Amino acid sequence: GKFEDYPVDKWSDALIKLLKQTDDKLVCLFLEDYWLIRPASRIVVPKAILDDHTALIRFDLTSDTIGSKKPKRLYSLDGYDIFERTDPQYSFSLQAAVWNRKLLLDVLVPGETPWQVELNGSDRLNKKDYRVFGTAQWPVMYTIAVNKGVLDKTGDWMQPSRTLSKNDWVELEREFGI
């Protein structure tokens, strides 16, 4: 839809509409200010995990699960150490992840900002028997380039802190004035 039809307080409406336009079982969600630091791994989510865990709503592709309070180590598979998130805070995180589209639609509601989606969505997700997994290996590493509406070249506010290389920032400055 048109940008003006989806102001920030209807962010979830746009996501719901997008998810309903596909029949794919899985969707990968990345926000526009996630700037890759290194190439993403080719094998991100082993199919066996998805087949064995039908209540798996989200497979975290970053440090979100491993960085949460007391993640539970489940097993190793295909070179990945698989953990389950046990911390209910931000269980519905918009950090890069592979989502079960049907379960994601079950938790989303219209009329929410991305921040409300995370907070309210975590409450809704935690009331269900859905599970969140991740890996210690960070299949996708990125910096969140915008912090509270401002370009952030340091990444110091993230845990652990991370940013683009100096050469990447120089190139962005040269090409785009960033």
Side-chain angles (χ1 to χ4, degrees):
K2 296 177 185 174
F3 184 77
E4 57 268 13
D5 292 340
Y6 296 100
V8 71
D9 61 339
K10 289 189 177 186
W11 188 88
S12 62
D13 298 54
L15 182 56
I16 290 167
K17 182 178 179 179
L18 178 68
L19 293 171
K20 287 182 176 181
Q21 292 177 352
T22 182
D23 292 329
D24 291 340
K25 178 180 178 182
L26 304 173
V27 294
C28 193
L29 184 60
F30 282 71
L31 300 185
E32 68 277 1
D33 61 346
Y34 296 173
W35 295 6
L36 290 177
I37 292 173
R38 62 168 159 77
S41 298
R42 292 186 95 191
I43 302 171
V44 176
V45 184
K47 186 177 180 318
I49 294 173
L50 302 169
D51 291 343
D52 290 346
H53 302 285
T54 57
L56 179 62
I57 187 171
R58 177 169 75 93
F59 191 95
D60 170 35
L61 300 175
T62 68
S63 63
D64 201 44
T65 295
I66 194 70
S68 66
K69 293 179 185 169
K70 298 184 180 178
K72 178 183 175 187
R73 186 178 185 286
L74 299 176
Y75 49 82
S76 293
L77 182 65
D78 295 339
Y80 290 95
D81 299 311
I82 308 302
F83 288 80
E84 181 168 11
R85 184 182 190 93
T86 61
D87 181 9
Q89 188 175 20
Y90 286 102
S91 55
F92 192 113
S93 169
L94 292 174
Q95 295 302 311
V98 175
W99 291 85
N100 176 313
R101 185 187 63 84
K102 181 180 173 186
L103 301 184
L104 176 55
L105 279 167
D106 185 45
V107 175
L108 287 170
V109 298
E112 289 186 333
T113 68
W115 307 281
Q116 291 170 322
V117 165
E118 286 189 321
L119 295 173
N120 301 338
S122 290
D123 289 340
R124 291 187 296 268
L125 187 152
N126 295 332
K127 291 177 183 168
K128 300 183 180 283
D129 291 327
Y130 298 155
R131 300 171 76 185
V132 176
F133 290 1
T135 162
Q137 282 72 30
W138 290 44
V140 177
M141 184 179 285
Y142 55 84
T143 187
I144 301 174
V146 178
N147 181 9
K148 297 177 179 70
V150 177
L151 181 67
D152 183 335
K153 294 183 179 182
T154 68
D156 287 343
W157 61 278
M158 291 177 275
Q159 293 297 322
S161 66
R162 56 196 179 274
T163 190
L164 300 178
S165 71
K166 182 178 179 181
N167 288 342
D168 287 341
W169 284 116
V170 167
E171 184 176 346
L172 287 168
E173 172 81 30
R174 184 178 62 245
E175 295 294 323
F176 304 104
I178 292 178

